[in-house]
């Protein structure tokens, strides 16, 4: 009944993922390839967590 009051972990994780991708894009545009690689790696880890969360929700 009050599902809309509970925080959505998928939405929170997706927001963090999108922010990391945006930071990586800006790092790439500025020519900082090392930072770009680090941020891309972090975003891939967040994506993995997100897919695991979706898989658990579908069970």
């Amino acid at each position: 009944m009050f599902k809309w009051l509970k925080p959505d972990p998928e939405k929170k994780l997706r927001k963090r993922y999108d922010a990391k991708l945006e930071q990586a894009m800006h790092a790439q545009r500025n020519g900082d390839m090392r930072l770009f690689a680090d941020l891309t790696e972090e975003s891939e880890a967040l994506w993995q967590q997100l897919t695991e969360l979706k898989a658990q929700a579908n069970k």
Side-chain angles (χ1 to χ4, degrees), residues 16-57:
R16 286 179 51 205
Y17 171 74
D18 290 340
K20 284 290 180 191
L21 282 181
E22 187 173 348
Q23 289 174 353
M25 177 194 64
H26 289 296
Q28 185 180 26
R29 286 186 178 174
N30 291 331
D32 192 353
M33 299 314 289
R34 184 174 301 271
L35 180 60
F36 169 72
D38 291 339
L39 290 171
T40 303
E41 183 179 351
E42 290 175 20
S43 68
E44 288 176 359
L46 288 172
W47 183 256
Q48 182 65 30
Q49 291 176 1
L50 188 62
T51 55
E52 290 173 2
L53 187 64
K54 284 183 180 181
Q56 289 177 356

